Amino acid sequence: MHKVTALTRPDAWVLEPQPSTFAPNSRWSNKDMDPVPPKGRTWSTFNYIAYWVSDATNVAVWELASSMLAIGLSWRQALPAIAVGHIIISAVMVLNGTIGARLHVGFPVLNRSSFGFWFSYFSVVSRVVLSMFWFGIQTYTGSECVYQMLKAIWPSLARLHNGLSDGAHITTAGMMSYFLYWLIQFPLMLVSPQKIRWLFVVKAFVVPPAWLAMLIWAFVKVPSSEGLFEQKSNLSGSEMSYAWLSALNSALGIYSTLAVNIPDFTRYAKNERAQYVQLLIIPTAFTLVGFIGISVTSAGMALYGDVLWDPLQLIDHWDNRAAAFFASLTFVLATLGTNISANSLSAANDMTVLFPRYINIRRGQVLCALLGGWALCPWEILASAQGFLSFMNGYTVFLGPFAGIMIADYWIVHKCKVDVPAMYKPHGRYRYTYGFNWRAVVAILVSVPPNMPGLISSINPKIDVGGAMKVFDFAWLFGFFTASVIYTVLSLAFPARETFLPAAITSDDAPAEDAPDAPRSEKSSHLDRKSVEEEVHAVA
């Protein structure tokens, strides 16, 4: 009983002090926030290939072309939009990913060098909310996969009495499937980022062959000249151009979140070259999955008379219960890998920065599982909050500028010469003006508002915003390039001189006495003296 009572005290949850390399004390960092030591850099080129093949094979990418065909494009126009969008996003991934691979720190810490120590929390909090929201939505999608698996084994599940009211927006069978999927997913969230890469390897070997089998099934059942492949575009001129740009924006938006926080994964790279393969694997894998989605949906249209973009609805029409079970199993695995990589790990990394004394990556993932999985009630959001869903989908209006500012700051403004130790100090060189880099603030204020009318119209289509909707059609591109140009011009015209260095200062530059086996007090005092001297020198 005494032990249980002790757990109710806040100090019982304080993380064990770690030999933090740079932060003044445990209030500002913990082991999971610190630069990854050499022994923790375990991700190879093969792991990044497996990671992206894993992320490409998810329901959202399968359905990616659906919105494109819905606005009047043909499949011949939709596929190039998917390919070009992912070529662009892969370049952004590598530019931001190289920063993480070189400096071995995650997005929440890196962001301080461009946004300022305190303003960086704006993007971090945004990412936490966004990640937990999509975690809940993806968990609900996974529960639908579990339902199809169970129904393939016990067809009577479809007739299970529903003991919940209509206002619950979920049935008894649905809640049971949701709980089962959440239980399957939860233990995987306790695995460290260094080891979770093996889940992506398993998914990369299991899911793509199954989906290719579905592609073969589609072409065997229905000739390629029928179904969606017959659909011709009825658009022309500027209408066609804006529709294609909107399709391109959809392709960019699907992983625009990860384009910002990819350093959370590349920080574990064996070397920066290991993650260059993203340039090739991202457009290849995502375009192939988009084609599979079009082809299988086209076959379903000819066979069942409905345009079934949701693959689980398609599987629901199958008579072969074994095929339905194994196909649903691959979608369970697909959703698991994506939800952990794109949502729970991202949320956990961000939470470590918000409360470093109490939250590490493992605890952050547990909180994400509880808050995102249950507190947000994703079935309620999907059933009755379409406006909120549209807002979250339109959040790319912020993510484009975030990515643009980060890339411009590291590659153009500071030319790769940044100070990693200072990123951990609230009063270090990246404090800027009261913790805010006003250049980043201005870049956000200039690049985001032009897209707000379009975002409002997407939430409530009854609101006519006229020509402003056309800017929203390419919101990510507009935000990315506008913010990066504005930030670069302001940073070079009004430089924050204390942030400019003759050479980069990284975690690998720490002297021998700062090795992990050195006494903590010795390390901290030496590094604090070193940091103060550098800051005084920079200001002078």
Side-chain angles (χ1 to χ4, degrees):
M1 187 64 185
H2 176 70
K3 291 183 178 180
V4 174
T5 306
L7 290 175
T8 62
R9 299 199 310 268
D11 59 341
W13 294 93
V14 173
L15 294 168
E16 286 294 320
Q18 299 289 341
S20 184
T21 317
F22 302 124
N25 54 58
S26 61
R27 179 185 174 188
W28 303 110
S29 186
N30 59 43
K31 183 180 179 181
D32 287 344
M33 273 182 65
D34 284 341
V36 178
K39 67 178 181 180
R41 302 169 195 170
T42 57
W43 284 48
S44 64
T45 296
F46 172 74
N47 292 128
Y48 286 104
I49 292 173
Y51 175 86
W52 281 112
V53 171
S54 169
D55 264 19
T57 48
N58 76 74
V59 176
V61 180
W62 178 292
E63 298 175 350
L64 182 56
S66 63
S67 60
M68 302 180 185
L69 272 63
I71 61 175
L73 296 179
S74 69
W75 71 273
R76 288 184 177 86
Q77 295 161 335
L79 273 184
I82 293 174
V84 172
H86 285 95
I87 288 171
I88 295 171
I89 213 72
S90 68
V92 175
M93 290 284 184
V94 170
L95 287 171
N96 267 335
T98 299
I99 306 174
R102 282 183 182 176
L103 306 181
H104 316 297
V105 293
F107 154 72
V109 174
L110 283 175
N111 208 29
R112 293 169 175 172
S113 64
S114 52
F115 279 63
F117 193 92
W118 293 115
F119 187 46
S120 68
Y121 281 77
F122 167 64
S123 58
V124 170
V125 172
S126 301
R127 284 281 304 117
V128 169
V129 175
L130 197 65
S131 296
M132 288 198 296
F133 167 82
W134 285 117
F135 175 86
I137 300 297
Q138 283 282 347
T139 300
Y140 186 80
T141 300
S143 73
E144 293 180 313
C145 304
V146 170
Y147 173 80
Q148 291 298 335
M149 288 174 61
L150 296 175
K151 190 167 76 70
I153 301 172
W154 298 288
S156 60
L157 182 66
R159 301 184 297 276
L160 180 69
H161 171 69
N162 178 29
L164 300 176
S165 67
D166 292 339
H169 298 129
I170 190 170
T171 64
T172 300
M175 181 61 77
M176 177 185 69
S177 300
Y178 186 88
F179 182 62
L180 286 173
Y181 180 84
W182 188 88
L183 283 180
I184 295 168
Q185 180 176 247
F186 187 75
L188 296 171
M189 298 173 69
L190 304 179
V191 181
S192 72
Q194 288 93 336
K195 294 179 180 178
I196 197 64
R197 70 189 194 277
W198 296 113
L199 171 64
F200 306 137
V201 171
V202 171
K203 180 181 171 183
F205 276 100
V206 173
V207 178
W211 286 21
L212 287 172
M214 293 180 72
L215 176 65
I216 294 169
W217 167 84
F219 282 122
V220 168
K221 288 286 187 179
V222 180
S224 60
S225 58
E226 299 181 19
L228 294 177
F229 289 99
E230 286 185 308
Q231 181 175 317
K232 308 294 183 186
S233 176
N234 54 4
L235 303 175
S236 60
S238 62
E239 192 178 14
M240 161 70 77
S241 300
Y242 279 108
W244 197 85
L245 281 174
S246 178
L248 178 66
N249 195 64
S250 296
L252 288 164
I254 199 165
Y255 269 95
S256 58
T257 305
L258 204 52
V260 171
N261 71 287
I262 188 63
D264 289 343
F265 297 93
T266 57
R267 64 189 295 214
Y268 300 107
K270 290 183 176 179
N271 53 62
E272 68 178 80
R273 294 186 301 277
Q275 52 91 44
Y276 289 164
V277 73
Q278 295 178 110
L279 278 172
L280 177 64
I281 194 62
I282 291 175
T284 302
F286 281 76
T287 305
L288 176 59
V289 172
F291 178 70
I292 292 174
I294 292 174
S295 303
V296 177
T297 303
S298 178
M301 181 180 175
L303 291 171
Y304 309 118
D306 289 323
V307 182
L308 303 170
W309 278 108
D310 184 346
L312 297 172
Q313 290 184 16
L314 182 79
I315 292 170
D316 195 45
H317 283 73
W318 290 0
D319 296 325
N320 189 320
R321 288 163 55 188
F325 175 85
F326 286 110
S328 300
L329 178 61
T330 66
F331 280 98
V332 167
L333 186 56
T335 311
L336 277 174
T338 302
N339 214 14
I340 291 173
S341 66
N343 298 320
S344 71
L345 270 175
S346 298
N349 271 289
D350 293 341
M351 287 184 198
T352 62
V353 173
L354 297 177
F355 306 102
R357 290 191 69 191
Y358 299 98
I359 299 179
N360 55 18
I361 289 177
R362 178 172 291 180
R363 291 182 183 179
Q365 292 211 79
V366 171
L367 284 174
C368 180
L370 296 174
L371 297 176
W374 295 102
L376 291 180
C377 300
W379 53 88
E380 292 282 355
I381 294 173
L382 290 169
S384 57
Q386 289 304 310
F388 182 63
L389 193 61
S390 297
F391 170 76
M392 299 306 278
N393 273 319
Y395 198 78
T396 53
V397 301
F398 292 98
L399 297 174
F402 288 172
I405 290 171
M406 288 175 68
I407 288 173
D409 181 78
Y410 183 79
W411 293 101
I412 302 174
V413 176
H414 288 105
K415 295 180 173 60
C416 310
K417 299 169 185 176
V418 294
D419 182 352
V420 172
M423 295 178 191
Y424 291 84
K425 296 177 172 61
H427 296 283
R429 69 174 79 249
Y430 297 120
R431 181 174 173 81
Y432 291 99
T433 306
Y434 300 107
F436 288 70
N437 183 355
W438 65 265
R439 302 152 194 85
V441 175
V442 172
I444 294 290
L445 292 177
V446 171
S447 59
V448 171
N451 280 310
M452 295 310 290
L455 178 59
I456 293 169
S457 182
S458 72
I459 295 171
N460 185 356
K462 294 180 181 178
I463 300 175
D464 184 12
V465 296
M469 196 68 195
K470 295 186 183 301
V471 179
F472 187 69
D473 285 339
F474 55 98
W476 190 93
L477 286 171
F478 177 87
F480 178 86
F481 286 107
T482 302
S484 57
V485 169
I486 294 293
Y487 181 82
T488 301
V489 170
L490 290 177
S491 296
L492 296 179
F494 307 97
R497 299 192 184 281
E498 70 276 10
T499 66
F500 287 84
L501 306 169
I505 304 173
T506 70
S507 60
D508 294 334
D509 297 326
E513 62 265 32
D514 301 322
D517 56 351
R520 177 177 171 79
S521 58
E522 208 177 295
K523 291 174 60 181
S524 299
S525 60
H526 172 83
L527 286 166
D528 286 344
R529 287 196 305 273
K530 177 182 175 184
S531 180
V532 170
E533 288 168 4
E534 288 166 352
E535 288 163 18
V536 171
H537 176 71
V539 172

